[in-house]
Amino acid sequence: MTEFFQLTLFGLSNGAILALAALGFVLIYKATGVINFAQGHFLLIGAYVFYAAMLVFGFHWSLAILAGIAVAIALGVLVERFVLRPMIGEDAIAVIMVTIGLSSMLGGGVQFFFGTSPKETPKFLPAGSLDLAGATIPYSRLAAIVIAAVVLTAFTLFFTRSRHGIAMRAVADDQQASLTIGISVRKVFALAWALAAVTAVIGGILLADLTGVSANLAGFGLVVFPVVILGGLDSVPGTIVGGVIIGLLAQYSAGYIGSGFEQIVPFIVLIAILMVRPYGLFGQTRIERV
Amino acid sequence: MPATATGVFHRSYTSELRLRHTRAEKTRLVLVALLVLAMPFLVSPYWLTIVNQIGIAIVGAIGLNILVGYTGQISLGQGGFLAVGAYTSAILHMRADLPVPVSIALAVLTTAVIGAFFGIPALRLKGLYLAIATLASQEIILFTVRTWDAVTGGTDAISLPRLEMAGFVFTDDFHWYWIIAGFAVLAVITGRNLFRTGLGRSFMAVRDQDIAASAMGIDVTKTKVLAFAISSAYAGLAGALTAHYTGIVTWERFTLDVSVLYLAIIIVGGLGSIAGSVYGAIFMITLPALITRFGQDIQSAWSEAAAKVPAVQVIVFGLVIVLFLIFEPRGLNRIWQRMKDYIRFSPFRY
């Protein structure tokens, strides 16, 4: 039972961060129809910018987070303008490959400035742990769940209440109709990329505190695929449900099947879902069938 | 054909079916053949290793291009299929004591079967979804390799002895060049001819419009599974060659990065073109080698900059993919054709 508690909590906190990364992914897919393979590298950039601001330049952690978010917005807007805009109307393979090329550039950039060795962990979440029914529960994990929940709620409100959020949903629904009522589709695309980068950076900062800063963080980006396919590629609530399910499943398989299985069970689930219900739990059933 | 001709015209079906129509094309073929024969005598040992790597990459890239470029099925699983080829051949040779040619042939067959199996999601999925499904195949294959200790040796590398055939030991790159060049040429010829057959043309029909293809009587299911099988067979051959050429098989050589490298090769070279696969392999293998070489050259003069070279290599790799996709999505093959047209029609623009 103790182990079960422990695994559940670790699964929930990983799932919360996964949901953040997946949220950025879904934002981009919903608004622009692009599958972003560089999402994991946005996490990486967030973690390294946070590390650099806090431990290299010695900023307070709150300023470091702001620095991370500023870099994320700039990065998102630049990427949209110079890499993705020329690709509008191209084949799926070209769009996928351009984001893969982008991820290579971002990963190489991090390696260029920071080298390959893992960095000291910038700690800002509360230290210490809570004993609950025999399980040791670090406060940092609880804090990560709370922060992720707050950010996810904020985004849900943004989509339902704010003008910009509603404009983004309109563009996702029908680009031409949005243009005719005066929504700037270009601005919405830029906004989608900027927001996606911001969510990824927040996820990256949380991961930096929980697991340390190293190039391995980018691997987290691959686990986003099972999450978004399970939840539905174009569904915001789907990212939360998908993130939590995949996070828990990975921890349980590591705990009860054997260490290492957490890397593979999500992908087996991914294939199973693609074969049975490719649009996921909450996605729109718009997938082309052959 | 007169030099002033502005196009290629055919008066009979046999002339249309010919692979090479003009005298210039025939001359170039002879020149390329001579270059292939002279290559090992012209380059230094360091560059001969690179040439051998290019040869293996050509085989794998043609395989991937058959699937992605000609059949339109995106695959991020090439690294996994290379791993299947490499491990099958290595295990059959070491554990079952089969001679190398037999183990390579069986590796090709095994990879084809496994490739067809992982192609099953393609029957229901297209585009983005298929890319994600093949990404999962890649992860599943590599995970199996890493954890199936009894057969693959898990995360430990398998070392292979030097290749020995009929009493002759293939010791260095020079000996291996002839094997690899032979297979690369074979891959080019079979690849080029595949698309003169009905099967090859049905691949292209499925790529261009699958519904129209099935209306014309093409069995789309069968065609897709065959495309995966044939493509994986090439990957299996490339993997098996890597195993015996380098003498060491480890899962780290077949990660997702390798799948991405092969996709980059065919995009930079040109999707849906056998010649493009060759150009792409040459370009994408030579470029990092040149950068590494540059790093070694400046090592003594400016060691801080030399330490940054591996990072620059990764950045340049990404940059090349992005720039090609933005400025010339049809790759080096298209650039080469434009150059030819420019010279042919000069001084006119078209």
Side-chain angles (χ1 to χ4, degrees):
Chain A
M1 203 59 196
T2 311
E3 194 189 4
F4 179 77
F5 261 130
Q6 190 105 12
L7 292 174
T8 306
L9 186 98
F10 276 66
L12 279 178
S13 56
N14 280 351
I17 297 171
L18 272 177
L20 276 179
L23 175 67
F25 193 92
V26 167
L27 275 175
I28 292 175
Y29 182 76
K30 231 171 130 69
T32 68
V34 170
I35 289 276
N36 181 20
F37 275 79
Q39 196 67 19
H41 288 81
F42 283 167
L43 284 176
L44 186 69
I45 297 273
Y48 271 92
V49 168
F50 181 64
Y51 154 79
M54 195 166 148
L55 294 182
V56 180
F57 297 112
F59 289 178
H60 186 252
W61 61 265
S62 54
L63 278 177
I65 289 180
L66 285 181
I69 289 176
V71 169
I73 292 174
L75 186 71
V77 172
L78 285 177
V79 163
E80 194 279 327
R81 175 66 192 85
F82 292 104
V83 181
L84 268 305
R85 198 176 292 172
M87 303 304 296
I88 289 176
E90 294 281 344
D91 284 346
I93 168 118
V95 179
I96 288 174
M97 270 315 274
V98 91
T99 60
I100 291 179
L102 181 69
S103 69
S104 182
M105 285 164 70
L106 295 178
V110 166
Q111 195 184 336
F112 186 88
F113 287 110
F114 299 99
T116 46
S117 53
K119 300 295 172 202
E120 190 189 342
T121 308
K123 283 282 177 199
F124 72 105
L125 296 175
S129 58
L130 177 76
D131 280 335
L132 189 73
T136 319
I137 297 169
Y139 285 128
S140 57
R141 291 264 166 186
L142 289 174
I145 297 176
V146 172
I147 293 174
V150 168
V151 174
L152 287 165
T153 318
F155 270 97
T156 313
L157 286 177
F158 170 77
F159 278 120
T160 47
R161 299 291 159 85
S162 105
R163 284 176 68 89
H164 291 289
I166 293 170
M168 280 180 78
R169 278 164 58 204
V171 169
D173 206 40
D174 189 329
Q175 293 186 6
Q176 284 188 358
S178 323
L179 280 169
T180 57
I181 56 168
I183 296 171
S184 166
V185 172
R186 286 184 172 189
K187 275 188 194 152
V188 167
F189 279 17
L191 186 66
W193 276 90
L195 288 180
V198 169
T199 57
V201 160
I202 296 174
I205 290 172
L206 293 178
L207 266 184
D209 185 289
L210 295 181
T211 64
V213 180
S214 76
N216 295 336
L217 285 180
F220 220 77
L222 289 182
V223 194
V224 169
F225 288 107
V227 173
V228 289
I229 292 291
L230 177 61
L233 266 178
D234 51 6
S235 158
V236 173
T239 61
I240 302 170
V241 177
V244 168
I245 292 179
I246 295 289
L248 287 175
L249 210 57
Q251 285 297 323
Y252 292 150
S253 44
Y256 295 122
I257 305 180
S259 170
F261 277 88
E262 76 275 10
Q263 299 160 4
I264 205 62
V265 168
F267 287 102
I268 295 172
V269 172
L270 164 66
I271 293 225
I273 291 176
L274 279 176
M275 296 303 284
V276 181
R277 201 183 155 92
Y279 39 84
L281 295 176
F282 302 100
Q284 271 188 6
T285 47
R286 232 183 354 196
I287 182 169
E288 261 185 285
R289 284 187 182 275
V290 191
Chain B
M1 187 153 289
T4 50
T6 53
V8 180
F9 305 103
H10 302 287
R11 294 207 179 85
S12 67
Y13 288 116
T14 30
S15 88
E16 196 190 353
L17 276 174
R18 247 179 244 148
L19 272 177
R20 291 166 203 280
H21 304 292
T22 61
R23 191 174 296 153
E25 280 176 338
K26 284 170 191 153
T27 322
R28 278 199 299 270
L29 181 65
V30 173
L31 286 177
V32 169
L34 285 177
L35 184 68
V36 169
L37 290 176
M39 185 62 92
F41 302 101
L42 298 176
V43 296
S44 67
Y46 170 79
W47 284 105
L48 197 57
T49 357
I50 306 291
V51 169
N52 282 343
Q53 286 172 20
I54 292 175
I56 294 174
I58 287 174
V59 177
I62 288 175
L64 189 62
N65 219 337
I66 290 172
L67 185 64
V68 181
Y70 284 101
T71 321
Q73 310 296 309
I74 306 174
S75 168
L76 278 164
Q78 188 77 352
F81 298 142
L82 287 166
V84 173
Y87 271 95
T88 311
S89 187
I91 291 165
L92 287 177
H93 180 55
M94 298 301 290
R95 304 254 169 96
D97 272 333
L98 292 175
V100 172
V102 179
S103 74
I104 291 184
L106 287 175
V108 169
L109 282 177
T110 313
T111 319
V113 171
I114 289 182
F117 174 74
F118 279 103
I120 291 174
L123 306 180
R124 290 195 64 184
L125 306 168
K126 277 209 264 196
L128 304 171
Y129 288 88
L130 182 59
I132 298 175
T134 53
L135 172 78
S137 320
Q138 157 86 30
E139 297 293 324
I140 290 172
I141 292 176
L142 272 204
F143 179 78
T144 312
V145 166
R146 279 201 306 266
T147 45
W148 199 5
D149 287 337
V151 175
T152 62
T155 45
D156 297 332
I158 304 180
S159 340
L160 293 162
R162 291 200 183 285
L163 175 59
E164 195 180 330
M165 266 194 297
F168 184 79
V169 188
F170 290 79
T171 46
D172 57 9
D173 284 315
F174 182 79
H175 296 151
W176 265 100
Y177 174 81
W178 302 106
I179 300 181
I180 292 173
F183 275 115
V185 169
L186 186 72
V188 171
I189 294 173
T190 51
R192 191 80 168 78
N193 280 295
L194 175 63
F195 295 98
R196 297 163 79 204
T197 65
L199 179 66
R201 283 167 198 267
S202 66
F203 285 176
M204 291 189 272
V206 167
R207 169 193 66 189
D208 292 339
Q209 190 30 274
D210 47 2
I211 296 169
S214 77
M216 281 159 57
I218 292 170
D219 185 342
V220 176
T221 311
K222 199 179 103 193
T223 310
K224 284 186 175 176
V225 171
L226 270 176
F228 265 93
I230 292 176
S231 161
S232 310
Y234 282 87
L237 176 60
L241 284 176
T242 321
H244 293 285
Y245 169 58
T246 55
I248 197 152
V249 183
T250 143
W251 68 275
E252 284 162 339
R253 290 220 175 135
F254 306 105
T255 53
L256 184 63
D257 294 344
V258 178
S259 304
V260 170
L261 170 67
Y262 273 95
L263 272 178
I265 286 176
I266 62 171
I267 279 175
V268 166
L271 285 175
S273 138
I274 298 292
S277 319
V278 178
Y279 305 147
I282 295 173
F283 188 86
M284 292 308 284
I285 304 284
T286 313
L287 189 68
L290 280 173
I291 297 176
T292 311
R293 200 60 201 251
F294 175 72
Q296 286 164 357
D297 287 346
I298 60 169
Q299 178 71 49
S300 53
W302 191 13
S303 56
E304 298 101 80
K308 299 282 184 204
V309 164
V312 173
Q313 212 168 317
V314 181
I315 298 176
V316 169
F317 176 76
L319 196 64
V320 165
I321 299 176
V322 171
L323 292 180
F324 261 95
L325 283 169
I326 292 177
F327 294 107
E328 188 45 274
R330 291 166 72 188
L332 289 167
N333 187 48
R334 180 83 192 116
I335 294 177
W336 169 235
Q337 276 172 358
R338 272 214 310 266
M339 271 163 54
K340 277 193 301 193
D341 286 348
Y342 181 82
I343 294 167
R344 196 145 64 106
F345 301 136
S346 169
F348 305 110
R349 295 293 299 279
Y350 51 85

